[in-house]
Amino acid sequence: MSENEPNIRHELSELAPSLLPALGAPTYEVPEGYFTSFPLTLLKHTVSYSSGIQDVPSGYFEHFADSVLAKIKLDAPKNLPATDAQPLAPVRTIASPRFSMMRYAIAAACTGLLGLAVFQWLQPGPHHSNDPYTVSAQQIISENQYEEVLQSITGDEIIAYLESSGYDVNAALVAEAAMEEDLPAPEDYWLDDNTLDQFLNKLNLPEIKEM
Amino acid sequence: MAVHADDKTLLLEFADPATRESAYTRIVRKYQERIYWHIRRMVIHHEDTNDVMQNVFIKMWKHLDGFREDSQLFTWIYRIATNESLSYLEKNKKRNSHAASLDNELLNLSNTIRAEKHFDASKLEWKLQLAIQQLPEKQRVVFNLRYYEEMPYEAMSKILETSEGALKASYHHAVKKVEEYILNH
């Protein structure tokens, strides 16, 4: 539009001559190569927009499984199979499912005892430092062993604890295992006496079968 | 300097699926710098300008099939760019509306200018930039199109869909305000 320039300059010289020297002076900076790369960047956007295809980095799906596995290895190396040569089968990670709820229940009881021990320990007056709960609690607190203590509780200890506490072990085992399975519908066991037997068999509780 | 094909040829090529993408790229190359500066002088920051640029040219891709050839292609793209820039500024204002008054908005734009790499408060061209930010948005568009792009009122009238007389008056007011700001700062 250079043909209009004299006209504009003339107009400006009449209106505000002080603005004339700034005409055409550079101000803002543009990143180098911006105008070279812009059309190509834009084309990628528009073509993927109109075709409905979204960009996925090259090789993303080929390497996805490996990258996830590497992350798992990094986060929890001890949970992996001993050797990488072992075939990887679909794994459902269940750590003693039948006892998991009870482990937490007992842990809650232990925590209660711990809490009581800590409470007693914080009270003014003489501490019963020889009390086995207090000794045990102090050790767990000082060594930050909550998780290890929780994991170290075995199934037998849970059963022993339930028996010593007066709980019905069988009922507790069934209740625990039933959480993993769909319960039969009431109309099924009303109409068929075998339904509950079949359900108990399905739960596969050897402790109950032995009794 | 690159030689660009005329708009009619580019539009014909765009209409043909076989040459659509290459025609689009050539249209972008032809107009990108003018459109960039038009937007940049409104939104100031390069990253914001880039966002608006993408919106403008994506809109162009979507609607170019329906473009009526009774207006010039550059007029049409400028109109999109002007509307997109004003919408962008409006959105920014709304985003900050709970905290920002008009004064704060002007302060933001002025601070963006002061943060520019080569900013020099003693130089006329930078004082001019600060002065332009004091103008109302539509007056700013008119001032920029006339002062920097030396656009005839007739073309401006088609882009902004405003009469030439109103544009002349608007430009005159803008120039006076800018001059006054520069003399006082």
Side-chain angles (χ1 to χ4, degrees):
Chain A
M1 293 187 198
S2 55
E3 68 269 18
N4 296 303
E5 196 175 324
N7 186 20
I8 288 165
R9 282 191 175 275
H10 177 71
E11 181 186 48
L12 202 58
S13 64
E14 284 187 350
L15 273 174
S18 61
L19 301 187
L20 271 171
L23 261 180
T27 45
Y28 305 117
E29 199 165 73
V30 185
E32 206 180 321
Y34 176 74
F35 292 117
T36 313
S37 60
F38 180 73
L40 302 173
T41 315
L42 191 67
L43 192 64
K44 264 174 77 181
H45 280 289
T46 47
V47 170
S48 64
Y49 171 84
S50 58
S51 62
I53 298 166
Q54 299 301 314
D55 270 354
V56 177
S58 158
Y60 175 78
F61 292 114
E62 286 84 348
H63 302 297
F64 180 72
D66 291 340
S67 64
V68 171
L69 195 61
K71 200 171 177 195
I72 291 168
K73 279 184 187 178
L74 197 71
D75 288 347
K78 65 185 172 185
N79 290 335
L80 281 174
T83 62
D84 285 349
Q86 277 183 295
L88 289 173
V91 175
R92 188 177 164 208
T93 309
I94 301 169
S96 307
R98 253 191 282 142
F99 296 116
S100 58
M101 278 297 289
M102 283 183 222
R103 180 169 285 124
Y104 280 99
I106 292 168
C110 291
T111 309
L113 292 174
L114 278 176
L116 186 63
V118 171
F119 176 75
Q120 284 179 344
W121 190 67
L122 290 172
Q123 289 306 301
H127 294 295
H128 304 289
S129 55
N130 293 331
D131 176 345
Y133 287 134
T134 307
V135 171
S136 169
Q138 282 174 335
Q139 188 186 346
I140 292 169
I141 291 166
S142 64
E143 296 175 18
N144 200 14
Q145 293 174 325
Y146 305 105
E147 272 301 311
E148 289 153 52
V149 171
L150 198 62
Q151 291 303 323
S152 69
I153 301 168
T154 65
D156 289 341
E157 284 169 338
I158 291 170
I159 290 169
Y161 171 80
L162 289 172
E163 283 172 346
S164 69
S165 308
Y167 288 100
D168 181 340
V169 176
N170 288 346
L173 285 172
V174 171
E176 172 68 15
M179 293 180 76
E180 297 281 318
E181 297 287 341
D182 290 331
L183 289 168
E187 53 269 33
D188 289 343
Y189 56 78
W190 287 338
L191 298 173
D192 184 354
D193 290 340
N194 293 323
T195 305
L196 289 176
D197 288 338
Q198 285 166 0
F199 179 69
L200 285 172
N201 285 337
K202 196 175 157 194
L203 293 181
N204 189 23
L205 295 170
E207 297 89 344
I208 289 182
K209 281 178 191 165
E210 284 161 13
M211 289 179 187
Chain B
M1 197 169 172
V3 178
H4 298 288
D6 65 275
D7 290 348
K8 203 172 178 180
T9 309
L10 291 170
L11 287 170
L12 280 172
E13 288 180 13
F14 186 83
D16 180 353
T19 49
R20 192 179 182 88
E21 285 180 19
S22 72
Y24 174 73
T25 305
R26 288 161 73 198
I27 295 170
V28 174
R29 287 214 171 102
K30 185 174 179 179
Y31 291 110
Q32 61 177 351
E33 288 200 43
R34 285 169 70 182
I35 296 297
Y36 175 90
W37 287 111
H38 178 52
I39 298 167
R40 179 83 188 257
R41 289 189 189 104
M42 289 298 291
V43 303
I44 310 298
H45 199 271
H46 169 75
E47 297 304 328
D48 296 340
T49 307
N50 186 43
D51 287 347
V52 179
M53 281 281 277
Q54 298 210 9
N55 293 343
V56 169
F57 285 102
I58 287 170
K59 274 203 172 157
M60 188 185 90
W61 171 271
K62 283 163 71 180
H63 301 292
L64 197 55
D65 279 328
F67 170 69
R68 288 178 303 147
E69 290 178 44
D70 51 356
S71 67
Q72 279 187 305
L73 182 58
F74 101 92
T75 306
W76 185 68
I77 301 174
Y78 258 85
R79 195 181 300 150
I80 298 174
T82 306
N83 292 337
E84 285 293 316
S85 303
L86 293 175
S87 309
Y88 191 87
L89 291 171
E90 196 59 38
K91 259 188 246 166
N92 263 5
K93 244 191 267 175
K94 277 185 186 159
R95 207 179 298 149
N96 304 322
S97 61
H98 58 284
S101 62
L102 181 64
D103 285 347
N104 284 340
E105 187 64 26
L106 292 175
L107 196 65
N108 282 344
L109 289 167
S110 300
N111 285 341
T112 310
I113 292 171
R114 288 191 175 90
E116 280 290 316
K117 196 176 170 185
H118 301 294
F119 178 78
D120 182 346
S122 67
K123 287 194 171 167
L124 179 62
E125 57 264 33
W126 287 106
K127 277 188 191 175
L128 183 61
Q129 295 307 317
L130 293 173
I132 293 167
Q133 300 317 312
Q134 314 302 312
L135 299 173
E137 279 161 9
K138 284 183 183 161
Q139 223 170 62
R140 212 185 307 164
V141 175
V142 174
F143 183 89
N144 286 337
L145 287 174
R146 185 72 180 158
Y147 184 86
Y148 286 106
E149 302 184 38
E150 303 180 5
M151 190 176 278
Y153 289 113
E154 191 192 348
M156 221 191 290
S157 163
K158 285 176 186 160
I159 292 167
L160 302 176
E161 295 173 310
T162 309
S163 72
E164 288 183 41
L167 291 170
K168 271 182 197 169
S170 183
Y171 178 67
H172 285 208
H173 281 301
V175 167
K176 287 292 176 195
K177 282 186 201 169
V178 167
E179 188 182 40
E180 193 185 334
Y181 178 93
I182 289 174
L183 292 174
N184 293 324
H185 287 82

